[in-house]
Amino acid sequence: MSKLRFKVVEDAFRKRPVEVKTPTERPSEYFAKYVFNQEKMFKYLPLSTYRKLRQVIEEGAPLSIEVADEVAKGMKQWAMDMGVTHCTHWFQPLTEGTAEKHDAFVEHDFKGGMVENFSGKELVQQEPDASSFPNGGIRSTFEARGYSAWDPASPVFIVGDTLMIPTVFISYTGEALDYKAPLKKALAAVDKAATKVARYFDPEVTHVQANLGWEQEYFLVDEGLYAARPDLLLTGRTLMGHDSAKNQQMEDHYFGAIPERVAEFMRDLEIQALELGIPCKTRHNEVAPNQFELAPIFEECNLAVDHNMLLMSLMRNVARRHGFRCLLHEKPFAGINGSGKHNNWSLSTNTGTLLYAPGKTPEDSLRFITFVVETLMAVYKHNGVLKASIMSATNAHRLGANEAPPAIISSFLGKQVSELLDKVEHSTKEELFTMEGKHGVKLDIPQIPELYIDNTDRNRTSPFAFTGNRFEFRAVGSIANCASAMIALNAAVAEALENFYTRVEALIAKGESKIGAILDVLREDIKTCRPIHFDGNGYSDEWKAEAARRGLDCETSCPLIFDRYLDDSTVKMFESTHVMNRHELEARNEIKWETYQKKIQIEARVLGDLCMNHIIPVATKYQSELVDNVHKIQQTFSDPEKVKELTAYNIDLIEKINKHTSFIAENVEEMVEKRKVVNKIENIRELAIAYHDEIAPYFDAIRYHIDKLELIVEDEMWTLPKYRELLFIR
């Protein structure tokens, strides 16, 4: 092991847990300590202002500047009581993170001094530079103006000395430049459409809420080892590295005992997350070594997205306090499981009904069938854009690998739901059906109580699986903003429900009964969306062929998958639901293609640099030592046969090293020259395609030879930390 690598690994071995102060209160007592929630509103706002703000939040009532001023005054007092000195509009531009610009609570008092001030105008609106964030051509460099506007539905919170105000971010001309604005529009669209349909079954329904529970997977690596891997540092993943002799093949990490240092990190993270109102519930080891998961209790979708973005930032900061780096790349290590962010999505009414819960009565069952079938219709009609919503240069490495779902969108329903839909499809009258609930299973083991088994199994290979009272969108990547998938899904479901409602109303207008009309439309839709329903093994080659036969989108090229955003049916769906217009969709695609191209370009540059400045010099140095050894043997022994016997192994290694280094050098040079050619392409879509088709294929080819060299070169000489060191926390 090289001296540098030895020191880095030794330092990682010596890491000790950071002391974490445990609050004396119960979690329920410090939960949302740093959040301006309903309790703080009631305490710091005049009663009339509090009631008006609750109307704004719960009913979507307009926010007047007078109310905003009163709210700002109360917020400022609470914030200053908490030691806050600054405020910022916290928004989600079209990058992989969040953005913030901090302003102090400072104004002139016109007497030579200053006073703390925070007005309703500062609360409601700020002006970030819209040309400096990804905008897809909506803003030119000389057209800088953009606006962030407060989202009252997402509570204000405190980080450090700053009051963080969740906001949307739009251009001077009104187009969305973020994830939150279209997400809120998609949620409004599904609320409107789902409410109309839900009222067929319960006239008391006035509001339908989309809920989201995300499961955040991530890796931890020792910070020193991370810093010694330029590829991890600059790209988020290892561009080279031979498999460790032991990785996940023993299946002993999943749900195993959490390592002490990791448990301390998790404890620290959860305390801070709970104080910020993030309802952390579950933590455990994931399948791959050094891989873990955190999941919260379900929340309203918009708030859940904000909390996930906040949590990812928190994870990175807390990890560094504990001597780790948190890796959110979907595939930081080859050959083992990647990380996803399963999006558990459901709809519920203001009356407390879960619309995807089967229910006990025939009427409840019909409601359940209606919402399941129309969701399947949405997924079937827009399976291409749903795939585009979760696709990226990083997630492309994960899809279809190990337990991640494949890059073909299908939906698993389970035996009971499938049989129920078959009964409805083949019925010929106003016949209602029910589905069995959970059933008990007794084990022949003393002291073990009866177990209750769900009405569906789980299918790990399904990108969009029904899991009892919700759908799990499993294909979302670990670093992604959940909003991207939730915008597409909620808009698609809103369109499907509006279409269902229109057709049912047309049949009722012709004299058909409500139940009869609903069943007629459902029978037709069950037949139509049948191609999206698949309960088998999504990894099999047979499914890929079958999916193509069914007309599902089977494209695997990331830049081409983005084209689905600009299909006429997609544009119509987004425009009819008032979520985004064609101009906004075109702009977002420009950003997606540009982001893809830049990521591949950066990886190509890093790979080339490591090859020429680390790998080849180290391999050549070891080769020289072998050559010197052969030369000394030849000088020492005169018997040709003896010399041949003693030098055969080293000569074989010399030739192998030459073969590998020659391939690496030649292909790096080819890759660089090809980049120079494709970089002249002006059309960003064509440039992204060229990087996918002509540059990215070099990566695996070059990596193969680097990984072979790692096995050949003396361990003491190899400068980069190896998988066996990176993947196991000491």
Side-chain angles (χ1 to χ4, degrees):
M1 188 183 295
S2 69
K3 291 181 180 179
L4 172 63
R5 200 166 113 243
F6 176 82
K7 186 175 187 317
V8 168
V9 174
E10 185 181 42
D11 287 347
F13 272 35
R14 289 177 177 171
K15 292 288 183 186
R16 292 292 180 267
V18 173
E19 183 181 352
V20 180
K21 293 181 180 179
T22 306
T24 56
E25 313 100 315
R26 296 175 180 176
S28 59
E29 294 175 310
Y30 63 81
F31 179 72
K33 175 181 178 181
Y34 296 112
V35 180
F36 194 69
N37 58 7
Q38 192 168 341
E39 176 192 350
K40 316 290 194 325
M41 292 176 194
F42 189 81
K43 179 179 178 181
Y44 282 90
L45 301 180
L47 184 58
S48 60
T49 304
Y50 167 79
R51 287 172 174 166
K52 289 173 183 175
L53 183 57
R54 295 305 304 169
Q55 267 191 309
V56 170
I57 294 170
E58 295 169 6
E59 301 173 20
L63 178 70
S64 69
I65 193 63
E66 292 78 19
V67 172
D69 277 330
E70 289 296 319
V71 173
K73 192 183 299 182
M75 270 187 194
K76 185 193 75 171
Q77 187 58 54
W78 168 69
M80 291 178 65
D81 288 350
M82 299 291 289
V84 167
T85 58
H86 289 67
C87 68
T88 184
H89 275 200
W90 181 78
F91 57 97
Q92 301 164 28
L94 298 172
T95 62
E96 291 170 350
T98 57
E100 53 200 61
K101 179 187 73 170
H102 297 207
D103 289 326
F105 291 152
V106 174
E107 291 290 347
H108 285 297
D109 67 355
F110 301 105
K111 298 176 185 177
M114 52 79 69
V115 293
E116 288 79 16
N117 186 57
F118 179 55
S119 68
K121 183 178 179 183
E122 291 170 292
L123 168 63
V124 170
Q125 184 174 312
Q126 224 181 40
E127 189 182 322
D129 187 338
S131 66
S132 297
F133 291 99
N135 60 71
I138 286 177
R139 297 268 80 190
S140 301
T141 304
F142 61 88
E143 296 174 316
R145 202 180 294 275
Y147 298 102
S148 53
W150 177 37
D151 172 18
S154 187
V156 170
F157 56 94
I158 294 171
V159 173
D161 64 355
T162 304
L163 184 69
M164 315 288 282
I165 305 165
T167 64
V168 299
F169 179 40
I170 62 170
S171 73
Y172 178 72
T173 46
E175 293 99 341
L177 296 176
D178 68 343
Y179 286 105
K180 182 184 274 286
L183 174 63
K184 289 185 71 68
K185 291 179 180 179
L187 295 175
V190 82
D191 173 14
K192 179 183 174 184
T195 297
K196 289 194 293 188
V197 175
R199 285 175 64 84
Y200 282 139
F201 310 99
D202 181 1
E204 299 299 314
V205 173
T206 59
H207 169 58
V208 171
Q209 173 178 290
N211 307 300
L212 173 63
W214 38 263
E215 303 169 30
Q216 181 68 60
E217 295 175 344
Y218 60 96
F219 282 85
L220 293 175
V221 297
D222 281 294
E223 188 164 26
L225 299 175
Y226 172 88
R229 287 290 305 230
D231 48 354
L232 265 182
L233 186 69
L234 297 173
T235 73
R237 75 180 182 108
T238 52
L239 300 175
M240 59 198 68
H242 199 279
D243 287 351
S244 171
K246 178 185 183 297
N247 47 51
Q248 70 185 47
Q249 69 266 45
M250 295 302 294
E251 300 174 335
D252 56 348
H253 191 257
Y254 191 49
F255 282 18
I258 299 171
E260 182 183 356
R261 283 180 61 205
V262 177
E264 290 297 318
F265 156 78
M266 288 178 168
R267 190 156 144 254
D268 197 1
L269 174 65
E270 285 181 7
I271 290 169
Q272 294 188 46
L274 288 167
E275 288 178 336
L276 287 167
I278 305 172
C280 298
K281 175 74 172 176
T282 303
R283 66 188 185 197
H284 63 82
N285 287 4
E286 256 300 335
V287 174
N290 279 19
Q291 189 187 32
F292 309 95
E293 180 179 298
L294 181 152
I297 300 170
F298 273 64
E299 297 182 282
E300 184 276 325
C301 188
N302 175 52
L303 181 59
V305 169
D306 283 359
H307 277 167
N308 182 245
M309 296 304 292
L310 177 58
L311 181 92
M312 288 195 290
S313 176
L314 199 60
M315 289 169 77
R316 293 183 177 103
N317 293 336
V318 175
R320 297 198 69 175
R321 287 188 63 239
H322 290 260
F324 294 126
R325 283 297 184 121
C326 179
L327 304 182
L328 293 172
H329 191 291
E330 283 80 1
K331 199 75 171 178
F333 303 103
I336 61 174
N337 276 22
S339 294
K341 180 152 49 195
H342 306 161
N343 277 210
N344 295 281
W345 171 86
S346 66
L347 297 174
S348 60
T349 70
N350 61 294
T351 59
T353 300
L354 286 172
L355 294 176
Y356 295 111
K360 298 178 180 179
T361 68
E363 290 75 16
D364 285 347
S365 185
L366 182 59
R367 179 259 304 151
F368 163 73
I369 295 166
T370 297
F371 278 90
V372 166
V373 170
E374 294 315 309
T375 300
L376 293 179
M377 282 292 289
V379 176
Y380 171 59
K381 185 175 180 182
H382 296 292
N383 68 94
V385 77
L386 284 172
K387 179 164 66 176
S389 75
I390 54 88
M391 182 53 71
S392 67
T394 54
N395 204 23
H397 292 289
R398 165 182 166 263
L399 295 179
N402 297 79
E403 74 159 11
I408 302 170
I409 299 296
S410 64
S411 187
F412 166 85
L413 297 179
K415 182 180 178 182
Q416 285 196 43
V417 179
S418 299
E419 289 177 350
L420 182 62
L421 297 191
D422 285 342
K423 288 179 182 177
V424 174
E425 180 185 352
H426 296 106
S427 66
T428 57
K429 54 185 178 179
E430 291 188 16
E431 186 176 3
L432 298 181
F433 303 92
T434 58
M435 188 172 76
E436 291 182 26
K438 294 185 178 183
H439 60 279
V441 173
K442 290 185 177 180
L443 303 177
D444 294 329
I445 304 173
Q447 292 91 37
I448 301 297
E450 184 178 29
L451 301 180
Y452 287 92
I453 307 302
D454 284 292
N455 50 32
T456 65
D457 199 348
R458 294 199 180 210
N459 187 320
R460 293 292 182 181
T461 70
S462 177
F464 195 79
F466 180 70
T467 57
N469 58 12
R470 63 191 182 273
F471 282 94
E472 183 178 18
F473 199 176
R474 295 180 54 83
V476 183
S478 58
I479 203 170
N481 188 322
C482 299
S484 180
M486 291 296 100
I487 291 166
L489 177 59
N490 283 286
V493 171
E495 182 195 54
L497 289 171
E498 284 285 359
N499 180 268
F500 172 83
Y501 179 79
T502 300
R503 289 152 63 206
V504 169
E505 287 297 299
L507 291 176
I508 293 174
K510 292 179 180 178
E512 194 163 349
S513 71
K514 180 180 73 173
I515 298 300
I518 289 172
L519 286 170
D520 282 349
V521 175
L522 285 177
R523 291 185 192 108
E524 183 181 338
D525 287 352
I526 291 170
K527 292 173 185 168
T528 301
C529 69
R530 187 170 291 282
I532 204 69
H533 176 196
F534 178 66
D535 286 356
N537 179 10
Y539 290 156
S540 68
D541 290 334
E542 291 80 5
W543 165 237
K544 294 175 185 176
E546 173 63 14
R549 188 188 67 77
R550 294 185 184 190
L552 302 183
D553 191 307
C554 299
E555 181 58 63
T556 58
S557 165
C558 187
L560 293 179
I561 288 170
F562 293 149
D563 286 344
R564 300 287 71 75
Y565 269 106
L566 300 179
D567 289 346
D568 288 342
S569 60
T570 303
V571 175
K572 180 182 177 184
M573 179 262 288
F574 279 121
E575 290 188 336
S576 68
T577 53
H578 307 289
V579 174
M580 285 185 283
N581 59 39
R582 180 179 287 275
H583 188 208
E584 289 172 307
L585 291 168
E586 289 171 344
R588 282 163 196 263
N589 260 27
E590 289 284 313
I591 295 166
K592 289 177 182 292
W593 285 317
E594 185 176 18
T595 300
Y596 177 86
Q597 178 265 325
K598 286 179 177 178
K599 283 186 178 291
I600 303 302
Q601 184 181 62
I602 290 169
E603 289 189 351
R605 288 174 172 172
V606 172
L607 180 61
D609 172 55
L610 286 175
C611 286
M612 305 312 291
N613 293 298
H614 284 259
I615 306 304
I616 291 178
V618 168
T620 303
K621 183 178 180 181
Y622 181 58
Q623 186 183 45
S624 296
E625 289 192 2
L626 294 174
V627 169
D628 185 56
N629 176 266
V630 170
H631 179 69
K632 287 177 179 176
I633 291 173
Q634 290 172 340
Q635 296 296 315
T636 303
F637 298 94
S638 57
D639 181 358
E641 290 300 316
K642 187 68 173 176
V643 169
K644 183 177 180 181
E645 176 188 343
L646 294 174
T647 62
Y649 179 71
N650 281 356
I651 288 175
D652 182 55
L653 288 182
I654 291 166
E655 291 174 346
K656 285 180 178 177
I657 290 171
N658 186 67
K659 170 189 168 186
H660 294 310
T661 54
S662 295
F663 182 93
I664 292 168
E666 290 168 8
N667 279 267
V668 166
E669 184 179 356
E670 275 185 29
M671 180 175 67
V672 171
E673 292 305 312
K674 202 160 275 188
R675 277 210 329 266
K676 292 177 182 177
V677 173
V678 301
N679 283 343
K680 295 176 182 177
I681 299 173
E682 294 184 2
N683 181 282
I684 190 61
R685 176 181 179 274
E686 298 304 319
L687 180 60
I689 292 171
Y691 262 86
H692 176 275
D693 294 349
E694 300 185 42
I695 306 301
Y698 280 100
F699 296 175
D700 285 343
I702 293 171
R703 177 181 186 142
Y704 172 83
H705 291 272
I706 295 172
D707 292 354
K708 289 295 183 183
L709 284 174
E710 184 183 313
L711 292 178
I712 295 172
V713 174
E714 183 184 2
D715 189 59
E716 186 177 336
M717 288 188 175
W718 198 259
T719 57
L720 302 175
K722 298 182 177 182
Y723 270 26
R724 67 170 184 253
E725 295 149 3
L726 289 165
L727 283 174
F728 298 94
I729 288 172
R730 286 83 179 176

